[in-house]
Amino acid sequence: MRTALIVVDVQNDFCEGGSLAVAGGAAVAAAVSEHLEDHHGDYAAVAATQDWHVDPGTHFSDEPDYVDSWPVHCVAESRGAHVHPDLDTDWIQAWFRKGEHSAAYSAFEGLLAPDADVLMGDDEDVDDEPDVSLDDWLREHEIEAVDIVGLATDHCVRATALDAVEAGYDTRVLVDLTAGVAEESTERALRQMAEAGVEVVRS
């Protein structure tokens, strides 16, 4: 079975020192890098996502409820939106950005980030390139199963896993390569994923 690894939102703002930090975020970045070093050969494809906010409306708030509204985070092009330095990106083949103008939790809401190198020397305008979703990309690579890692377990990892199952992929969440915002919401998310058909893998 052809399997892809999806690395969700391992960005500075979601790690220690960031504006919406998850405890253990930097450790997840390092652990995912180690996993990729040891297991990249197990995957037919590797993709990653970035929260990439331009003007997401009520997703940002000065008085966030931490359910539907949040402090400002992962503003497009900002340091907070950049990938955490402990994540080794060498094995990542494609990046999907989500949430430019609205809230977006699932990787399946993201679109393939433009690759300037691809267009170098061409007359094509990047605006003329068709949008490519994560689902489009996975199907192009004939992927049947996905492993999901990253941040945060109880938000974007959960949403990505639920959408992956809904899209028909055999789906695993590698819990040791994730970190959640809070223990209670993380355990609730893991139960929800398992009930939906996600294989929740703990070492």
Side-chain angles (χ1 to χ4, degrees), residues 18-173:
S19 65
L20 197 53
V22 176
V28 164
V32 171
S33 294
E34 185 175 344
H35 180 76
L36 278 167
E37 180 64 29
D38 294 342
H39 297 285
H40 62 269
D42 298 340
Y43 296 108
V46 181
T49 68
Q50 289 173 286
D51 237 14
W52 198 256
H53 296 308
V54 176
D55 180 12
T58 58
H59 187 58
F60 284 172
S61 175
D62 293 333
E63 297 179 357
D65 61 15
Y66 294 92
V67 177
D68 298 310
S69 60
W70 305 87
V72 174
H73 62 277
C74 295
V75 173
E77 308 293 349
S78 71
R79 181 187 177 280
H82 291 173
V83 176
H84 191 276
D86 288 345
L87 178 65
D88 183 351
T89 61
D90 287 350
W91 300 109
I92 296 172
Q93 298 165 267
W95 292 89
F96 293 83
R97 292 174 176 169
K98 56 189 177 66
E100 287 192 9
H101 299 289
S102 63
Y105 296 93
S106 171
F108 286 85
E109 298 176 82
L111 296 175
L112 184 65
D115 184 348
D117 292 337
V118 172
L119 299 177
M120 191 173 296
D122 293 341
D123 293 327
E124 296 174 289
D125 188 326
V126 70
D127 291 337
D128 294 332
E129 292 294 301
D131 290 335
V132 177
S133 70
L134 176 60
D135 189 46
D136 294 333
W137 189 83
L138 292 173
R139 295 191 188 284
E140 180 182 330
H141 287 77
E142 301 180 338
I143 299 301
E144 303 162 280
V146 294
D147 284 353
I148 300 170
V149 301
L151 305 170
T153 320
D154 39 352
H155 292 282
C156 294
V157 168
R158 178 189 66 85
T160 299
L162 294 176
D163 278 356
V165 167
E166 183 69 21
Y169 298 99
D170 286 356
T171 303
R172 302 195 310 172
V173 168

Side-chain angles (χ1 to χ4, degrees), residues 11-23 25-26 79-80 84:
Q11 297 166 263
N12 287 324
D13 268 349
F14 295 137
C15 297
E16 290 81 352
S19 65
L20 197 53
V22 176
R79 181 187 177 280
H84 191 276

